[in-house]
Amino acid sequence: MLFSAASRVLIQGITDPLGKVYAPLMQQYGTQIVAGVASGQGDTNFHGIPVFDLVEQAIATVGQVDTTVICGHPYMVLDAALEAIAAGIRHLVLLTDGVPPLDMVRLLRKAEATETLVVGPNSPGIIVPGEILLGTHPPDFYAPGPVGLISRSGTLTYEVALQLTQAGFGQSIAVGIGGDRIVGSSFQQWLQILEEDEATQVIVLVGEIGGDSEENAARYIAEAIDKPVVAYIAGRTAPLEPVMGHAGAIIAALVADLSTEIGTFESKLAAFKAAQVPVADRPSQIPDLVKKALQKVS
Amino acid sequence: MLFSAASRVLIQGITDPLGKVYAPLMQQYGTQIVAGVASGQGDTNFHGIPVFDLVEQAIATVGQVDTTVICGHPYMVLDAALEAIAAGIRHLVLLTDGVPPLDMVRLLRKAEATETLVVGPNSPGIIVPGEILLGTHPPDFYAPGPVGLISRSGTLTYEVALQLTQAGFGQSIAVGIGGDRIVGSSFQQWLQILEEDEATQVIVLVGEIGGDSEENAARYIAEAIDKPVVAYIAGRTAPLEPVMGHAGAIIAALVADLSTEIGTFESKLAAFKAAQVPVADRPSQIPDLVKKALQKVS
Amino acid sequence: MDLLEYQAKNLFQQMGIPVLPSQQISQPKDLKGLKIPYPIVLKSQVYTGGRSKAGGIRFVENTIDAVAAAQAIFHLPIMGQYPEVLLAEARYQPERELYLAVVLDRSSRRPLLLGSQEGGVEVESVVGQMQQVIVDQEFSPFYARRLVLKMGLRGELIQTVSSVVEKMYRLFLEKDLDLVEINPLAVSARGEVMALDGKIIANNDALARHPDLTALCSQQPLSNRTRITGALPAGMNLVELDGSIGILCNGGALTMATLDLVYKAGGKPANYLNVGGEFSHHLPPNTLPERVRQGLEVLGRDRGTKVVLLNIVCGGVGCDDVTEAIAAHWRRRSVGHRPVLMVRLAGSRFDAAHEILRGLEIGVVHDLDEAIAQAVSLSKSKVA
Amino acid sequence: MDLLEYQAKNLFQQMGIPVLPSQQISQPKDLKGLKIPYPIVLKSQVYTGGRSKAGGIRFVENTIDAVAAAQAIFHLPIMGQYPEVLLAEARYQPERELYLAVVLDRSSRRPLLLGSQEGGVEVESVVGQMQQVIVDQEFSPFYARRLVLKMGLRGELIQTVSSVVEKMYRLFLEKDLDLVEINPLAVSARGEVMALDGKIIANNDALARHPDLTALCSQQPLSNRTRITGALPAGMNLVELDGSIGILCNGGALTMATLDLVYKAGGKPANYLNVGGEFSHHLPPNTLPERVRQGLEVLGRDRGTKVVLLNIVCGGVGCDDVTEAIAAHWRRRSVGHRPVLMVRLAGSRFDAAHEILRGLEIGVVHDLDEAIAQAVSLSKSKVA
């Protein structure tokens, strides 16, 4: 797995509002936070974590960093991420929401050119239960086990993890890829990672209406994933967000040769059906479907 | 060699002033010009060369292109070069002078990322006598032979080639890397190419005052070049151009840990002396030094 | 944020995209000071499409007709919107009309250039002819030429139109836009181009770094009229329906999932309110209790609500922290209309939270399905 | 192109870099309308450095002193330049002074950020303390922070100063500059910063795409006074010396090589003129004959010249084309002062060229060394 108890982690924006809340929680979970970055606050420390003005200073002092968690101001996220990439870090977890989409476009061009994995933004990050917490997942909801959990949301991810844990199904990893229109890593990338991950026996994909991530994921599952996948889609009864209705989105969807129905619950449900992925009709049904899937595998 | 009679060549800006003059001359020399590009003039032809609106259109119609010669308006050179790179062309020869330096910075970042060779701008390009002309070199001045000629200038390069040819020393290749402050390929790159080129037995480097290209080349020759090199430096008696004197240039040179004397004739002469490179004191002395060098080699 | 046509055209003009001479008309009598020669066209400045069909665009030949037309347009609602301003614009005789747009493509995660020779009509109807170019690397003008050639334009028009696309892209990038659309871009018999109508949508997340756009935003009337009066606190999202159960959750997907469950259990939601998730720099998780309190105030204003269901999944704070906020709200609203509260909490220190709420006789459970069942049941009981 | 201090500061202000309140003074009596409170500083607006040492900067406390100081400064040449304008600026008490610059680095072929805590003095003297950061990829603010940390700044100053560097970089990029320099950037006791002096050099090649800079350029007086009156045609480059041989070549390095050879042969150059090389979009090779003719006219105006040596290496045109231009010039100037012409031509159709010039009794050879020898010899002969 890309992330383990041995991973050396940096927190950028460690004294920003999100960093202040989550850095101590990650540290309590056992995540090896080797340094924090907060411009203007070098040579101080936060909860025993040494704080530096610049990523490269941190690395020069504490040594190599495997992953950085970025939780600064939304308008500073691009610069923080580029700084991390320039310093040689190739795993980035972006928590902050409200990052301007064109900043993400620029970041993702750079990430692709440097083969950097970017998780988020607007994301709860990653938890490998019993190993490492890189984000906001509440540790009590999780337990080690065979379920790989991938999702676009935050609190709903925790909810699903809780239901799984209470039903006795621990998780190999849980990842929130982020709720924004433009995010780094996709469902497909994570499906592939989980397909190859030995600890993962079954994959739970938590989707929601809007966008085409679930439709694309379903197609990818049919083509490339052998492990069983269980899905859940939130928003069956909610109207699509108004932003979905604007001319640009309609045109983009239409032109990309997709149905105008793209993004609806029905479209996503149909895609998963076509990929023979069972879809839970409520969170509490997910553990049942996981159980069935695990029985089939063994 | 990277360039031969078999190379398939595109001319971007074929109907611009420089293209109009030089495209027919290159074609007469036998260069395989498979297409020209001139936006708004697609579906026409120029001297029998089919003209397209876009590089990718040209390639789609005439097939693969190995090298493009760019001779459009200085403010269009960056876009033309990026268009060529996007279309998969990895050898670019830029003739036009007056390209804004920050356009070159952007182009060179892209060229480095895509491993593209950029020759120029403000350059006579390349001639491989008897094989191919990619630029403005007057063919009559050249003949095939063992001398690799590299230079920063235009007409002085022709002059040196003429002196060599008249003395019976033909050329394996002649390259003008361009006279601007920011150019693509460096003397070092070409020294390395010629070091590996079987047809080249001796290298003639034609320099001039200003900048630190010759100093860097001399250091590189001492370190990495086994073939004999002969140098000439123009400008012994000319004052450095006023632009050299401005604060930024002074500071940049000073900070880069270089002497304030950088760029002068004396600095360059000393650098070649240190690298044991004989320096001709006039163009007509170059053939004598080449003769001596060839005698030593054999 | 949507811009009005005249605002979009101001930005076009700043960027050097040709637009017609025009003037804003705030009231019909402004037409007496018109500086543009007749004939002109008067256009309702509303945020919706379909103005032409609805009668919001009129051609007039003189002041008398113009004043009458303006009066009519000011009193004509288009999809519920009345214009506050009209745009008076010179008339133009195009030989042909193109469609051009720059949007952000979610799938490729890149800007997309769109173009068609079938402009001037509802764009949904000509999607088949729409050409697209993904701007996969840093923009350079050749992307614009690529689009224009795909559209089938030739000769001098290639440069003229691609130069407009270039400027649209620069605007898109510099102002952090979600959409720049010109429809139609008129082409005259002499090959000159003119942006006859335009649409710009600014990205809300980036708005704060564009003071010029923020200023336009502040002029914009609230588009959603809500039964529940008063402005919504920052970072919250409310949708109103007509049932009897108010839903308050933290996080968008959790809110939708809760809504789905309420419907599934036969409940009728009155509304649903997302008080914000866990990753906001501006409203970090330790503000959750306060956001829950504010959210309860908002939902409490809806007289039609019998039950308010809170489903709060606590990450960065404990259940008891959130409960204190609920308790504070409950004590303040002990008189007057007070919907029944049904609280579902997941997270640390649930027992402490349970203790506090039991003292106030507020139902609190840990299991989601149970919370839904109880809330729906309460909403149907006569007592509530 | 160099900008004056006040022009640089206008650009700083547009970009949000803090500058002091100031006013331009075109004549001493303008000081009576001064809107800045005393004490002020008056600064000569010339293109050269070392103004302070030369007495071009004076601190004054009241109008009477100010007028007197202004009169003195207007009459004080600095390295030969008289100011056309003074800058009157509020006084400022810095606690410390920094040096900041953005330049283009020829070796790395990238922009370079420069900074030092030893600002406010001649920068050559503190190069040892100068810190540098190469902007190797697309700029992002962390490059500015990297510089500021290397400079040894800590705490809140990191953000304050790196934000100035960011803005300097944006200016550098947006306006295609060769140099942006702030020296000193003053830092007050409260950690506020202020650009007290600034220098901007715009790139000449990029000037045409920046109308605002082009406008400043047109105000600029010609810096080189030449004996040979009249403006030099575009694309040409003339350097004047005090010998008797005029040198006219095409291409910069060829011109320098020819100059070297003339000196080596014992000749004394009167000047050397490069009529432009072979790769100009604006003056392509087929304009070479016309440029040679114009160049001959320019050199012909110098009464001290006995011989004009032309060394033209023809690429895109034949020798005969160039010769026609020489012949045309020669025929027109058959009366009055006419220096001897010595022509060296390399290129195609030399024989045709030889034929034409022989008819005019102008010396023409193909060999460069021989041309040099003959020109030097002619310059020393009594006949010429």
Side-chain angles (χ1 to χ4, degrees):
Chain A
M1 185 40 75
L2 299 167
F3 307 98
S4 74
S7 301
R8 295 168 56 81
V9 177
L10 182 72
I11 312 279
Q12 288 176 263
I14 193 165
T15 58
D16 277 315
L18 291 174
K20 267 188 189 154
V21 171
Y22 291 118
L25 294 174
M26 287 185 243
Q27 200 180 29
Q28 279 163 34
Y29 196 66
T31 303
Q32 259 199 78
I33 303 181
V34 295
V37 169
S39 173
Q41 294 171 62
D43 303 326
T44 64
N45 82 76
F46 178 76
H47 282 249
I49 303 163
V51 176
F52 298 87
D53 288 304
L54 211 57
V55 173
E56 61 194 16
Q57 279 187 325
I59 292 175
T61 309
V62 305
Q64 170 223 334
V65 163
D66 301 306
T67 297
T68 182
V69 178
I70 297 177
C71 39
H73 187 284
Y75 293 179
M76 302 297 154
V77 165
L78 170 63
D79 181 53
L82 292 175
E83 184 187 349
I85 292 173
I89 304 176
R90 290 293 172 266
H91 295 149
L92 277 53
V93 178
L94 278 45
L95 306 186
T96 315
D97 85 348
V99 179
L102 289 178
D103 282 9
M104 284 307 300
V105 168
R106 205 181 135 194
L107 171 57
L108 295 178
R109 275 204 313 259
K110 190 73 187 173
E112 286 168 18
T114 53
E115 297 185 8
T116 299
L117 177 71
V118 176
V119 177
N122 190 11
S123 140
I126 295 165
I127 186 168
V128 181
E131 291 267 339
I132 188 170
L133 173 61
L134 297 164
T136 67
H137 299 268
D140 296 352
F141 290 41
Y142 294 81
V147 182
L149 174 58
I150 54 183
S151 166
R152 282 211 271 158
S153 56
T155 45
L156 180 60
T157 314
Y158 314 160
E159 176 75 49
V160 171
L162 183 64
Q163 303 263 5
L164 286 166
T165 300
Q166 284 176 343
F169 298 107
Q171 303 86 36
S172 54
I173 189 172
V175 180
I177 63 169
D180 281 355
R181 261 193 303 162
I182 308 289
V183 294
S185 62
S186 63
F187 277 149
Q188 288 96 301
Q189 266 177 283
W190 282 103
L191 285 165
Q192 197 197 332
I193 292 169
L194 295 184
E195 175 81 0
E196 289 167 13
D197 174 46
E198 289 186 8
T200 302
Q201 292 175 35
V202 55
I203 299 167
V204 171
L205 190 156
V206 177
E208 62 190 82
I209 56 168
D212 58 4
S213 314
E214 291 77 10
E215 286 87 339
N216 292 333
R219 272 197 294 274
Y220 186 76
I221 290 166
E223 284 166 19
I225 301 298
D226 290 329
K227 290 186 182 172
V229 180
V230 167
Y232 170 75
I233 309 154
R236 170 171 230 153
T237 60
L240 280 181
E241 276 188 44
V243 68
M244 280 304 298
H246 77 56
I250 291 171
I251 298 155
L254 289 173
V255 167
D257 224 358
L258 302 166
S259 143
T260 36
E261 293 301 303
I262 201 84
T264 62
F265 179 84
E266 289 68 27
S267 154
K268 290 168 196 297
L269 185 68
F272 283 123
K273 288 253 157 92
Q276 297 186 296
V277 172
V279 179
D281 74 350
R282 75 183 85 97
S284 59
Q285 203 197 354
I286 296 172
D288 304 340
L289 296 178
V290 165
K291 193 175 176 182
K292 278 187 204 152
L294 283 172
Q295 281 164 348
K296 257 192 221 165
V297 175
S298 58
Chain B
M1 183 44 72
L2 299 166
F3 308 97
S4 75
S7 301
R8 296 169 55 81
V9 178
L10 182 73
I11 312 280
Q12 289 175 262
I14 193 163
T15 58
D16 278 315
L18 291 173
K20 267 187 190 156
V21 171
Y22 292 116
L25 294 175
M26 288 185 244
Q27 201 180 28
Q28 278 163 35
Y29 197 65
T31 303
Q32 259 199 77
I33 302 181
V34 295
V37 170
S39 173
Q41 294 170 61
D43 303 323
T44 64
N45 82 76
F46 177 76
H47 281 249
I49 303 163
V51 176
F52 298 87
D53 288 303
L54 210 57
V55 174
E56 60 193 18
Q57 278 187 327
I59 292 175
T61 308
V62 305
Q64 171 222 333
V65 163
D66 302 306
T67 297
T68 181
V69 177
I70 296 176
C71 41
H73 187 283
Y75 293 178
M76 301 297 154
V77 167
L78 170 62
D79 181 53
L82 293 175
E83 184 187 349
I85 292 174
I89 304 176
R90 291 292 171 268
H91 295 149
L92 276 52
V93 178
L94 279 45
L95 305 185
T96 314
D97 86 348
V99 178
L102 290 178
D103 282 8
M104 284 308 299
V105 169
R106 205 180 134 194
L107 171 56
L108 294 178
R109 276 205 312 260
K110 191 74 188 174
E112 287 168 17
T114 53
E115 297 185 7
T116 299
L117 177 71
V118 176
V119 177
N122 189 11
S123 141
I126 296 165
I127 185 169
V128 181
E131 292 266 336
I132 188 169
L133 173 60
L134 297 164
T136 66
H137 299 269
D140 295 352
F141 290 39
Y142 294 81
V147 182
L149 174 58
I150 54 183
S151 166
R152 284 210 269 157
S153 55
T155 44
L156 180 60
T157 313
Y158 314 161
E159 176 75 50
V160 171
L162 182 63
Q163 303 264 6
L164 286 165
T165 301
Q166 284 176 340
F169 300 105
Q171 303 84 37
S172 54
I173 188 170
V175 180
I177 64 169
D180 281 356
R181 262 194 301 162
I182 308 289
V183 294
S185 62
S186 63
F187 277 148
Q188 288 97 299
Q189 265 177 285
W190 282 103
L191 285 164
Q192 199 197 330
I193 292 169
L194 296 184
E195 175 80 1
E196 290 166 14
D197 174 46
E198 288 185 10
T200 303
Q201 292 175 35
V202 55
I203 300 166
V204 171
L205 189 156
V206 177
E208 63 189 81
I209 56 168
D212 58 5
S213 313
E214 291 77 10
E215 286 88 339
N216 293 334
R219 273 196 294 275
Y220 186 77
I221 291 166
E223 285 165 18
I225 301 298
D226 290 329
K227 291 187 181 170
V229 180
V230 167
Y232 171 73
I233 309 155
R236 171 171 229 153
T237 61
L240 280 180
E241 275 187 46
V243 69
M244 281 304 298
H246 76 56
I250 292 172
I251 298 155
L254 289 173
V255 168
D257 225 0
L258 302 167
S259 144
T260 37
E261 293 302 301
I262 200 84
T264 62
F265 180 84
E266 289 71 25
S267 153
K268 290 169 196 295
L269 185 68
F272 284 124
K273 289 252 156 95
Q276 297 185 298
V277 172
V279 179
D281 73 352
R282 75 184 84 97
S284 59
Q285 203 197 354
I286 296 172
D288 304 339
L289 296 178
V290 164
K291 192 175 180 184
K292 279 185 203 155
L294 283 171
Q295 281 165 346
K296 257 191 221 165
V297 175
S298 57
Chain C
M1 184 195 68
D2 286 37
L3 302 196
L4 291 168
E5 177 195 3
Y6 79 89
Q7 297 168 333
K9 285 184 170 170
N10 283 346
L11 290 175
F12 290 165
Q13 194 159 33
Q14 283 172 31
M15 198 52 68
I17 297 171
V19 291
L20 290 169
S22 69
Q23 224 170 304
Q24 292 165 43
I25 304 297
S26 304
Q27 44 191 335
K29 70 175 181 189
D30 290 356
L31 284 161
K32 287 168 185 162
L34 199 67
K35 291 182 190 81
I36 313 159
Y38 285 93
I40 61 162
V41 52
L42 287 170
K43 301 159 104 177
S44 179
Q45 298 294 289
V46 287
Y47 292 97
T48 55
R51 292 179 301 173
S52 190
K53 269 188 217 155
I57 296 181
R58 305 214 185 173
F59 297 89
V60 289
E61 304 283 342
N62 55 52
T63 307
I64 295 172
D65 290 354
V67 171
Q71 273 164 343
I73 298 175
F74 273 117
H75 290 93
L76 175 77
I78 302 177
M79 289 176 77
Q81 274 182 52
Y82 289 87
E84 298 197 351
V85 164
L86 310 190
L87 190 66
E89 203 173 62
R91 287 192 67 170
Y92 193 77
Q93 290 299 343
E95 206 199 31
R96 49 212 281 216
E97 300 191 324
L98 313 178
Y99 175 92
L100 295 175
V102 184
V103 295
L104 195 54
D105 180 41
R106 190 171 181 147
S107 281
S108 65
R109 309 180 306 178
R110 292 292 193 277
L112 198 61
L113 311 180
L114 297 171
S116 159
Q117 289 215 43
E118 310 285 327
V121 292
E122 290 291 311
V123 87
E124 288 79 354
S125 61
V126 290
V127 160
Q129 280 78 51
M130 194 66 76
Q131 298 299 322
Q132 56 172 327
V133 168
I134 293 178
V135 182
D136 58 341
Q137 298 296 312
E138 212 179 326
F139 181 82
S140 194
F142 74 84
Y143 285 106
R145 292 200 299 278
R146 199 184 269 177
L147 176 75
V148 167
L149 282 162
K150 275 188 152 184
M151 286 167 63
L153 301 179
R154 293 292 175 265
E156 286 185 11
L157 264 188
I158 295 173
Q159 203 44 55
T160 322
V161 177
S162 73
S163 138
V164 173
V165 176
E166 249 183 88
K167 288 166 183 161
M168 290 169 74
Y169 190 89
R170 267 172 46 211
L171 190 61
F172 178 79
L173 198 71
E174 283 176 18
K175 302 287 184 194
D176 275 302
L177 305 177
D178 284 340
L179 171 76
V180 188
E181 187 184 74
I182 297 180
N183 183 26
L185 181 79
V187 180
S188 76
R190 285 182 299 169
E192 293 156 344
V193 296
M194 190 64 73
L196 294 193
D197 196 1
K199 177 141 201 64
I200 284 178
I201 303 178
N203 184 268
N204 290 330
D205 284 334
L207 218 47
R209 62 185 184 190
H210 299 288
D212 53 342
L213 297 182
T214 313
L216 298 180
C217 180
S218 64
Q219 299 163 17
Q220 194 170 328
L222 291 171
S223 53
N224 291 335
R225 301 204 190 125
T226 58
R227 268 189 322 227
I228 302 176
T229 50
L232 213 52
M236 295 195 190
N237 204 345
L238 175 71
V239 175
E240 296 187 85
L241 304 164
D242 48 17
S244 57
I245 304 176
I247 297 173
L248 186 160
C249 304
N250 62 327
L254 184 72
T255 308
M256 288 193 287
T258 307
L259 179 75
D260 292 346
L261 288 170
V262 167
Y263 273 119
K264 201 170 184 66
K268 293 200 166 23
N271 51 51
Y272 53 101
L273 175 68
N274 171 14
V275 298
E278 306 260 285
F279 332 115
S280 168
H281 174 86
H282 304 293
L283 294 167
N286 49 11
T287 63
L288 177 62
E290 172 59 14
R291 281 182 279 143
V292 167
R293 197 193 58 70
Q294 291 176 336
L296 281 170
E297 296 231 335
V298 169
L299 294 196
R301 287 189 211 118
D302 189 345
R303 299 275 154 176
T305 304
K306 287 170 76 180
V307 180
V308 170
L309 167 65
L310 281 86
N311 180 17
I312 306 294
V313 174
C314 304
V317 294
C319 293
D320 51 348
D321 298 320
V322 173
T323 308
E324 294 289 1
I326 298 171
H329 167 81
W330 189 250
R331 288 190 197 103
R332 272 194 51 206
R333 297 203 42 118
S334 56
V335 289
H337 170 76
R338 190 163 82 162
V340 176
L341 290 192
M342 179 65 224
V343 179
R344 187 274 174 145
L345 293 170
S348 59
R349 302 196 295 274
F350 176 78
D351 291 340
H354 188 256
E355 198 65 30
I356 297 165
L357 291 184
R358 207 178 46 183
L360 296 169
E361 293 180 4
I362 298 173
V364 55
V365 295
H366 188 261
D367 185 77
L368 177 57
D369 289 346
E370 191 186 327
I372 302 285
Q374 288 195 22
V376 172
S377 156
L378 283 168
S379 77
K380 290 179 176 170
S381 75
K382 300 239 158 107
V383 183
Chain D
M1 183 197 66
D2 286 37
L3 302 196
L4 292 167
E5 177 193 4
Y6 79 89
Q7 295 167 334
K9 284 183 171 171
N10 283 347
L11 290 175
F12 290 166
Q13 194 159 34
Q14 281 171 31
M15 198 51 70
I17 297 171
V19 291
L20 290 169
S22 70
Q23 224 170 302
Q24 291 165 45
I25 305 296
S26 303
Q27 45 189 334
K29 70 174 183 191
D30 291 355
L31 284 160
K32 287 169 182 159
L34 198 68
K35 290 182 189 83
I36 313 160
Y38 285 94
I40 60 161
V41 51
L42 287 170
K43 300 160 104 176
S44 179
Q45 298 295 288
V46 288
Y47 292 98
T48 54
R51 292 179 299 171
S52 189
K53 268 187 216 154
I57 296 182
R58 305 216 185 173
F59 297 90
V60 290
E61 305 282 342
N62 55 54
T63 309
I64 294 171
D65 291 355
V67 170
Q71 274 164 342
I73 298 175
F74 274 116
H75 290 94
L76 175 78
I78 301 178
M79 288 175 75
Q81 274 182 52
Y82 289 87
E84 298 197 352
V85 163
L86 311 190
L87 189 66
E89 201 172 63
R91 287 194 65 173
Y92 192 77
Q93 290 300 342
E95 207 199 30
R96 48 212 283 214
E97 300 191 326
L98 313 178
Y99 175 91
L100 296 175
V102 185
V103 295
L104 195 55
D105 180 40
R106 190 169 179 148
S107 280
S108 65
R109 309 182 304 179
R110 293 291 192 278
L112 198 61
L113 311 180
L114 296 171
S116 159
Q117 289 214 40
E118 311 284 328
V121 293
E122 289 291 310
V123 87
E124 289 78 356
S125 61
V126 290
V127 159
Q129 280 78 50
M130 194 66 77
Q131 299 300 322
Q132 57 172 327
V133 167
I134 294 177
V135 182
D136 58 340
Q137 299 295 312
E138 211 179 329
F139 181 81
S140 193
F142 74 83
Y143 285 106
R145 291 199 299 280
R146 199 185 268 178
L147 176 75
V148 167
L149 282 162
K150 274 188 153 185
M151 287 166 63
L153 300 180
R154 292 293 175 265
E156 286 185 10
L157 265 187
I158 295 173
Q159 202 44 55
T160 322
V161 176
S162 72
S163 138
V164 172
V165 176
E166 249 183 87
K167 288 166 183 161
M168 290 169 74
Y169 190 90
R170 269 172 44 210
L171 190 61
F172 179 79
L173 198 71
E174 282 176 18
K175 302 286 184 194
D176 275 302
L177 305 178
D178 283 340
L179 171 75
V180 188
E181 186 184 75
I182 297 181
N183 184 27
L185 180 79
V187 180
S188 76
R190 286 182 298 170
E192 293 157 344
V193 296
M194 189 64 74
L196 295 193
D197 196 0
K199 177 144 199 64
I200 284 178
I201 302 176
N203 184 267
N204 290 331
D205 284 334
L207 218 46
R209 61 185 183 189
H210 301 287
D212 53 341
L213 298 181
T214 314
L216 298 180
C217 181
S218 64
Q219 299 162 19
Q220 194 168 328
L222 291 172
S223 54
N224 290 336
R225 303 205 188 121
T226 58
R227 270 188 321 228
I228 304 177
T229 50
L232 213 53
M236 295 196 190
N237 203 345
L238 175 71
V239 176
E240 297 187 84
L241 304 162
D242 48 17
S244 57
I245 305 176
I247 298 172
L248 186 160
C249 304
N250 62 328
L254 184 71
T255 307
M256 289 193 287
T258 307
L259 179 75
D260 292 347
L261 289 170
V262 168
Y263 272 119
K264 199 168 185 67
K268 292 199 169 19
N271 50 51
Y272 53 101
L273 176 68
N274 170 15
V275 298
E278 305 260 285
F279 333 115
S280 168
H281 174 85
H282 304 293
L283 294 167
N286 48 10
T287 63
L288 178 62
E290 173 59 14
R291 281 181 279 144
V292 167
R293 198 194 56 72
Q294 291 175 334
L296 282 170
E297 296 234 334
V298 169
L299 295 195
R301 287 188 210 119
D302 188 346
R303 299 276 154 174
T305 305
K306 287 170 75 179
V307 180
V308 170
L309 167 66
L310 282 84
N311 180 16
I312 306 294
V313 174
C314 303
V317 294
C319 293
D320 51 348
D321 299 319
V322 173
T323 307
E324 294 290 1
I326 298 170
H329 167 81
W330 190 249
R331 289 191 197 101
R332 272 193 52 205
R333 295 200 44 116
S334 58
V335 290
H337 171 77
R338 190 163 82 161
V340 176
L341 289 192
M342 180 64 223
V343 179
R344 187 272 174 145
L345 292 170
S348 59
R349 302 196 294 274
F350 176 79
D351 291 341
H354 190 255
E355 199 64 32
I356 296 165
L357 291 184
R358 209 178 43 184
L360 296 168
E361 293 181 5
I362 296 173
V364 55
V365 295
H366 188 260
D367 184 77
L368 177 55
D369 290 346
E370 192 187 327
I372 302 287
Q374 288 196 22
V376 171
S377 156
L378 283 168
S379 76
K380 290 178 176 170
S381 74
K382 299 238 161 108
V383 182

